[in-house]
Amino acid sequence: MIRSVEAMTRTDLEPHLTSVRAPAPDGAGFRSILFGAGDVDLADVREPDVFRDLNLDQVVGAIVGQDEYDLRPFFHAPLRDVDAITYRQEVFHDLETDDVRAAVHAFAEQARRVRQHLTLVETQHYRYETERWFLDAAEIYCDAVVALRDALNGLELGSRGLRSLSAFLVDYTRSEGFASLRADARLVLEGLARVRYTLRIRGGRVTVSRYEGEVDYGVEVEETFARFRRGVVDEHRLLLPDSGTMDHVEARIAERVARLFPEEFRALDEFCARHVGFLDARIARFEREIQFYLASLEYVEGLGKSGLAFCYPAVSTRAKEVDVEGGFDVALATALSGDRGALVANDVRLHGPERVLVVTGPNQGGKTTYARMVGQLHYQAALGLPVAARRARLFVPDRIFTHFEREEDISTLRGKLDDELLRVREILEHATGDSLIILNEIFASTTLADSLLLGTEVLDRLLALGCPAVCVTFVDELASLGEETVSMVATVAPDDPSERTFRIVRRPADGRAYALAIAAKYGLSYERLRSRVGR
Amino acid sequence: MKAFLMHRDRDFDLEQPLPPNAEALEQDLELGTILDAMARGDDFLREVARRTLLTGLADADAIRYRQDVLADCLEHPALARRLYEVAIEGILTKRQARFFWYRDSPDALLAKSRGMLRLLADVLVTLRTVADEHAADVRSEGLTELFARFQRELDDAYLRRIDRHLDALRFRRGTLVSAGLGRANRGSDYVLRAPRERGLLERISPGGPPSYSFAIADRDEHGLESLAELRGRGIASLASALAQSTDHILGFFGMLRSELAFYVGCLNLHEDLAARGASTCFPEPRPPEELELRARALYDVPLVFHLDSPVVGNEVDAAGKRLVLVTGANQGGKSTFLRSVGVAQLMSQAGMFAGAASLRTSLSSGVFTHYKREEDASMTHGKLDEELARMSELADLIRPGAVLLCNESFASTNEREGSEIARQVVRALVESGVRIVFVTHLFDLADGFHRERGEEALFLRAERQTDGTRTFRVVPGAPLPTSHGGDSFRRVFGLGPASADAAACIRLAGADPRR
């Protein structure tokens, strides 16, 4: 169960919480379970640039898997509206209830079958076969919609989204279009169920007639030998292979059956003509969009099984306060696949005038992971997802910008500084005070003096922008540039400086030479090496 | 179709559990010899015979039922053997089935079953013919009923019906299958149908119900395959049902064989015994409370197969006696006598004939043996424990009405101790309603019973003629304190009447008999 109560029901002075329960909407209002009444054009949506740096590509990959429903565009379109975000959080919350989830899952299963049937309508080419797939699709569709309507009607729903859907389903199933679809389908199916014909097969010749009550020959034969029956024998069951679709011989048979039962098949023809495009666009859309929730929940609950906490964050587009307790890098968590012990959670806090987290400390200390986590948390929140933290208050940026140095990338050393500077300039030009900027290990490949100079210049401009940012660097001096900067340090174990704790804490940068401590551990300090080699 | 030759109202059960002391019985009473003679190499027969012998019948009526069938078989041995052969013939058709190439398709299964049924039907005809030829010859309820059943259930009409089916199952005029509409409007719920019999008028008048035909071109391989699959769906359940029916008929022949095996075994045994000049009789089963046990010329059946010369028979009259004590010289025929009683009891209760000129015996609730084990020849300390333990195990199994055969029980200790133990055991068991035949050297035991309860027990002694020769018979006689070791002494020391044995013994001892 994802922590959400506190985040969603506080009604004190905090200006950025919007969780007022709207009155139950009417059915006409339902459009999208993801976007509420708003309409979003996802045609030009691509994977955001920050995905790679923040390892969000891995996370989304893990969530969507084969991506049968093409969910990726949804993950590539973060929201900017607090109400829209809350709208989604409400739906997530509802889906955490077993009954709601079960009802939606059941519907999704049936909807998948409908789609499979309709695909067969497209791919198969025998007339009576495709018409039957179409008819069956309609029947499954009607049953699924009614089932979902009934299930949701009987449940306590808290989200505007599902309540709106529920009302819509009631109206929709009462509509004439739907009622006639359902009734017609039933009638035609009943007619076809009554059809019984015989095949006389002789060599390659087939004669199709109506069934006239001929006797079950198998029963006759069985009766003849019944007098020998004693005890249990092997059933001699035969496994008969089946492709599942009609072949040309069956098609020829079907044509003749249609001639023998003209009324029933005419009814089938008419049904198909009358109900073309029966699938309601909003329901089709719901079928796809609800998978965004189901897939995400499955992912989150999977990690939750290893004891990792998620929560619904309080969000705001105005206040730039950030308050995270027990946050963690969700991509790392997946990679560690449930090894709870190995993952360290950290806090993030930006209060009042604070804007930039300057993170320093030893190599491999978890600084980059920390920076990623901050980026991930904000992105997750902007999608309306539960975020990887025990408690969180986050702000919704207009855009996230990242620049991550690849530490091991020695090959591109030449000209790298220029590239970096170019990139940083671009970021500074496009970012606003409402953006979020994550800079990881910039200017690491140049001299200390240059790094300090360049770093200071960049940081000054960042501060001038006034947007929240994370800056990971080895230049300790940057950590104390002003009241807007917050110094965060990756800590080591008190007794063994070579051991990283991966805990990032608020502390002045202390400029210790961690590298030396590691060297000493391997007997490579100056004294030791002399005594080892010098002999 | 039932056979009911072993029991009037149920099948012979090959799985019925054997008594816990089955192994001891087999060993002590040398049943192996009898079973081998009955089986003549047929392992199945041997097993049936073994089970029948070890699990006796509990009431006289059931025994007479079997005796009657056996009597018929003895009178018409060729008939019994023929029936047994026919049953095996039926079972062996299964081997022929290996020549039917079997793929996993309805057609192949159908063809295989049809082929088997053809063979099986032929054997059924044979059965019916045998019944026709010999129904008048048999008198026993079992065989009379069996033949009547064959004539009734395998009558001409039925056999013709089978033929008709086997012919129709070739589907020479095509296959008729009904179907409904399933997924994708393909056929579903295929059921094989018998074509309606159309009257002459219907057939010659034009019109009739509409039908539409089409043909698949010869070169359309896929089409022909698809049609074959459709047809396969239609005949699948019939093929399975037919295969099951085939199994059932095979099972019937298997059952017939097991009902006949015992009788064929008895025939074999009877022939062997007759060839060796040993006569048999049908014992008269009496109720347990009568304490009946009277026989003339009762002999040990297994021994017949080990000797070249005729076997000695005994006259026994133990009517009304719960206890029989047998004493006397070594190698005098006591153990043989004991065995003959046990074997006769088992054979009687199995419904067989017995090794005697005549026999009347009460039914028992079980036959038990307490024999000296061969390995105990050393008679060391500890063997008594083993004997007592075994007796205790028997005590768990023995119920009132049982027959216990003791051979030299408790001889593994001195006479006084052994007698005391034996006395207690015997008294307790006899008072609990168990009949005991006790072969023993414990004079104290035998004498004690003789003096105190002489009338309640029968005392038998290995017969010894005045010149010391044994007749290997047991005859009524009080226990004697000696087992005629004196004979042996005189023989060895040349102090008694000369005999071939004596001379041999002295020569062995190195002394000159003429001195």
Side-chain angles (χ1 to χ4, degrees), chain A residues 243-294:
Chain A
S243 68
T245 55
M246 193 179 264
D247 60 41
H248 66 285
V249 172
E250 289 172 318
R252 290 169 88 174
I253 292 173
E255 280 165 33
R256 285 154 181 80
V257 175
R259 268 190 265 167
L260 289 168
F261 295 88
E263 276 181 33
E264 286 84 350
F265 280 82
R266 186 172 32 240
L268 177 61
D269 287 338
E270 282 170 7
F271 177 89
C272 294
R274 195 180 318 140
H275 293 290
V276 168
F278 65 80
L279 200 56
D280 183 282
R282 277 164 296 183
I283 292 189
R285 187 174 180 182
F286 169 75
E287 189 219 346
R288 179 182 174 216
E289 292 183 349
I290 197 70
Q291 290 294 337
F292 172 86
Y293 294 98
L294 294 177

Side-chain angles (χ1 to χ4, degrees), chain A residues 113 117 120 127-133 136 191-193 195-250 252-254 256-257 259-260 265 268, chain B residues 1 11 102 104-106 109 117 124 152-154 158 161-162 164-165 168-169 171-196 209-216 220 222-224 226-227 229-233 236 238-245 247-249 251-252 255:
Chain A
R113 286 183 64 208
H117 278 60
L120 284 163
R127 167 178 170 199
Y128 291 117
E129 181 192 2
T130 55
E131 286 188 350
R132 185 58 189 265
W133 288 125
D136 284 342
L192 293 176
V195 168
R196 286 202 78 70
Y197 60 94
T198 60
L199 298 173
R200 188 185 204 99
I201 303 173
R202 196 167 173 179
R205 193 168 177 75
V206 184
T207 305
V208 187
S209 322
R210 289 178 86 113
Y211 172 62
E212 304 269 325
E214 290 90 339
V215 165
D216 185 334
Y217 189 54
V219 166
E220 262 193 39
V221 172
E222 267 185 282
E223 273 172 8
T224 302
F225 297 107
R227 65 192 57 186
F228 293 102
R229 193 171 301 140
R230 18 183 345 264
V232 177
V233 294
D234 183 5
E235 278 186 6
H236 293 279
R237 217 173 258 293
L238 290 156
L239 276 169
L240 301 166
D242 191 357
S243 68
T245 55
M246 193 179 264
D247 60 41
H248 66 285
V249 172
E250 289 172 318
R252 290 169 88 174
I253 292 173
R256 285 154 181 80
V257 175
R259 268 190 265 167
L260 289 168
F265 280 82
L268 177 61
Chain B
M1 279 280 273
D11 291 336
Y102 180 47
D104 207 2
S105 81
L109 181 60
L117 273 174
L124 289 175
R152 200 171 50 237
E153 305 216 22
L154 301 175
Y158 182 71
R161 200 165 133 196
I162 295 185
R164 266 204 319 273
H165 279 316
L169 287 172
F171 299 113
R172 271 191 266 256
R173 286 190 301 152
T175 315
L176 185 67
V177 169
S178 74
L181 293 172
R183 283 162 61 80
N185 273 342
R186 302 167 71 209
S188 76
D189 303 321
Y190 286 101
V191 177
L192 186 66
R193 300 282 174 189
R196 265 183 332 129
S211 67
Y212 301 100
S213 309
F214 65 94
I216 299 178
D220 181 1
H222 280 304
L224 290 173
S226 162
L227 189 60
E229 264 178 41
L230 269 182
R231 185 173 163 274
R233 260 178 249 287
L238 175 76
S240 299
L242 210 60
Q244 285 176 40
S245 297
D247 284 348
H248 282 306
I249 300 181
F252 162 72
M255 180 269 302

Side-chain angles (χ1 to χ4, degrees), chain B residues 126-238:
Chain B
T126 311
L127 264 188
R128 162 62 201 291
T129 312
V130 170
D132 284 341
E133 282 169 16
H134 296 282
D137 294 340
V138 295
R139 280 182 302 223
S140 66
E141 194 185 329
L143 281 170
T144 310
E145 276 303 306
L146 181 68
F147 287 156
R149 210 172 287 128
F150 286 165
Q151 288 177 309
R152 200 171 50 237
E153 305 216 22
L154 301 175
D155 63 1
D156 289 340
Y158 182 71
L159 294 171
R160 270 200 302 272
R161 200 165 133 196
I162 295 185
D163 276 344
R164 266 204 319 273
H165 279 316
L166 286 175
D167 190 53
L169 287 172
R170 288 189 184 284
F171 299 113
R172 271 191 266 256
R173 286 190 301 152
T175 315
L176 185 67
V177 169
S178 74
L181 293 172
R183 283 162 61 80
N185 273 342
R186 302 167 71 209
S188 76
D189 303 321
Y190 286 101
V191 177
L192 186 66
R193 300 282 174 189
R196 265 183 332 129
E197 296 300 318
R198 298 165 136 243
L200 184 61
L201 211 59
E202 221 185 327
R203 271 185 272 153
I204 61 172
S205 62
S211 67
Y212 301 100
S213 309
F214 65 94
I216 299 178
D218 283 337
R219 46 188 166 67
D220 181 1
E221 265 182 47
H222 280 304
L224 290 173
E225 248 177 59
S226 162
L227 189 60
E229 264 178 41
L230 269 182
R231 185 173 163 274
R233 260 178 249 287
I235 63 173
S237 64
L238 175 76

Side-chain angles (χ1 to χ4, degrees), chain A residues 55-77:
Chain A
N55 281 345
L56 282 170
D57 53 346
Q58 292 175 22
V59 176
V60 172
I63 294 178
V64 305
Q66 306 280 40
D67 206 7
E68 183 186 340
Y69 295 91
D70 189 27
L71 300 174
R72 276 210 168 80
F74 298 137
F75 287 95
H76 296 165

Side-chain angles (χ1 to χ4, degrees), chain B residues 318-390:
Chain B
K321 312 277 193 207
R322 279 198 207 280
L323 178 62
V324 178
L325 282 157
V326 187
T327 58
N330 293 332
Q331 314 264 30
K334 304 195 301 290
S335 302
T336 308
F337 168 71
L338 192 65
R339 198 163 52 222
S340 71
V341 171
V343 169
Q345 190 67 28
L346 282 183
M347 286 172 79
S348 304
Q349 295 207 228
M352 284 171 83
F353 44 75
S358 78
L359 172 65
R360 293 179 71 173
T361 178
S362 280
L363 297 174
S364 72
S365 64
V367 177
F368 297 87
T369 53
H370 189 265
Y371 271 48
K372 191 171 63 181
R373 287 273 168 262
E374 293 263 327
E375 321 83 75
D376 301 3
S378 60
M379 289 301 192
T380 51
H381 179 67
K383 286 305 166 188
L384 179 62
D385 289 356
E386 192 269 328
E387 281 201 88
L388 290 169
R390 238 182 327 120

